[in-house]
Amino acid sequence: MQRWSRRKTHFPVLALFFSVFIVASILYNERNIRKIHDRKEEQQVPIRDSTLLTSVPSKVSSKHKPIVAAASLDRFTKCDSTRKFHGRRTETVYQKLDSSQRREKQHRCDLFSGKWVFDNTSYPLYDESRCPYMSDQLACHKHGRTDLGYQNWRWQPHDCNLKRWNATEMWEKLRGKRLMFVGDSLNRGQWISMVCLLQSVIPVDKRSMSPNAPLTIFRAEEYNATVEFYWAPLLVESNSDDPVNHRLNDRIMRPDSVFKHASEWEKADILIFNTYLWWRQGPIKLLWSDEESGICEELDGVGAMELAMEAWADWVASKVNPLKKKVFFVTMSPTHLWSREWAPGTEGNCYQENNPIDMEGYWGSGSDLPTMRMVDKVVDRLRSKVSVLNITQLSEYRKDGHPSIYRKFWESLSPQQLSNPASYADCIHWCLPGVPDVWNELLFNSL
Ligand SMILES: *[C@@H]1O[C@H](CO)[C@@H](O)[C@H](O)[C@H]1NC(C)=O
Ligand SMILES: *[C@@H]1O[C@H](CO)[C@@H](O)[C@H](O)[C@H]1NC(C)=O
Ligand SMILES: *[C@@H]1O[C@H](CO)[C@@H](O)[C@H](O)[C@H]1NC(C)=O
Ligand SMILES: *[C@@H]1O[C@H](CO)[C@@H](O)[C@H](O)[C@H]1NC(C)=O
């Protein structure tokens, strides 16, 4: 346990806002959050001197170590040159799916349309301090938050009731199975929530957590079941696949390959994917698998995300047997960076917000509509194999649910920042217990 709690501080932070004036274009520029991970990590894994990289001319290195098809990218991967995206598309199984043969929309209750109801008798579903796997990024009460109302909201769909959370019943659903969350730090938050929701009914000596980045596994012996997290923030292979060291200037991805990641996905019985915020930081470089001379192409975030989603969709279309594997896609997690969007005339963010937004249909500018339409299009074709956890609208209401300043900050804060707390508030991730617990209840209801 102790080992785990030390290790978990190695987890990097996807992003932080040290200034409300930071524009969206540098949203996930992790240069701004240098050294946020455990300093010990830096001693153990010395950041390679940049001269080490430049002392080997790239031509020589590519002669000795040619980039072969599907060779893995890592954080030292470089583009020899970059040109504009030429519009290349790969003919795939997914592309050939006949979108007219979709299943009819089921006339079931829409679990994602509803409202938040204050309910301090049933919520929170667990106690923050009793979950040994809690992350210091998400433990808001421990880090000084005193208004705890954010833990007490229940999601009430308009047309039906959610089945109440029952950890034993969930374990029964998971018996003999591997449940794997795949994605970025938002998805990791949902995974931690799931572990916290589930762990209390398993005796201490019958459970274990094995930090084995990029795959981390929680095991429950008596159910022969695991709840796992796999770090793949762009879904496809990229130079950001190291869960700790991914503070890079350029994002380079293979637009056509999930091969390395998918070798882990194949072992899971239930898969929960997400990806979104990492595409919001500006152009992405593409290095196609058959590109041997190190020439990259460059594409805007939404376009690059579409290519990645299609590569992922191709894996789903060709490899997933829906009778054996359940696949879910979690839609974008909203941010609350500009209070003027819900309170016109104000200049803050989520800092000091302690109630949900009660305007039905509220939608902030952080949840990009073209991205949502693109996701709609991709998952629609996969409808017989993928279920959507459409958490965007319901989470939009929860401006009160973010850690704000109540989390561990690995970098010491300057007096200037401390005098203006909103400037470093985290309005991206979610406190636990809190909103991601409800995402997991929706998953529980969909299994
Ligand atoms: C629940 O909330 C109500 C209304 O805010 C309050 O009166 C009550 O004391 C709360 N109960 C608990 C158990 O916190
Ligand atoms: C939870 O589920 C288990 C197993 O399905 C069942 O035996 C138990 O009664 C349920 N508990 C509640 C409170 O519904
Ligand atoms: C445990 O689950 C795995 C699949 O995750 C399965 O291969 C194995 O046979 C199971 N073991 C037992 C003892 O049921
Ligand atoms: C998710 O819900 C929104 C409305 O909140 C809708 O516009 C969008 O099409 C839905 N997306 C998917 C993939 O179901």
Side-chain angles (χ1 to χ4, degrees), residues 286-326:
L286 320 174
L287 187 55
W288 295 87
S289 300
D290 58 5
E291 176 50 70
E292 287 175 27
S293 47
I295 300 173
C296 293
E297 294 187 317
E298 192 170 74
L299 184 58
D300 64 89
V302 184
M305 178 174 167
E306 184 167 11
L307 291 179
M309 289 289 293
E310 286 175 353
W312 166 81
D314 185 47
W315 177 80
V316 174
S318 53
K319 294 286 165 55
V320 171
N321 173 353
L323 299 175
K324 295 207 174 122
K325 237 189 240 317
K326 287 195 169 135

Side-chain angles (χ1 to χ4, degrees), residues 118 120-121 152:
F118 187 77
N120 62 358
T121 55
N152 297 132

Side-chain angles (χ1 to χ4, degrees), residues 174-178 223-226 228 267 269:
L174 298 180
R175 188 181 283 280
K177 295 202 167 87
R178 294 178 67 171
Y223 290 97
N224 185 29
T226 59
E228 316 181 16
K267 298 173 193 157
D269 301 283

Side-chain angles (χ1 to χ4, degrees), residues 231-243:
W231 174 256
L234 300 172
L235 292 185
V236 290
E237 284 164 38
S238 77
N239 64 348
S240 308
D241 291 341
D242 183 318

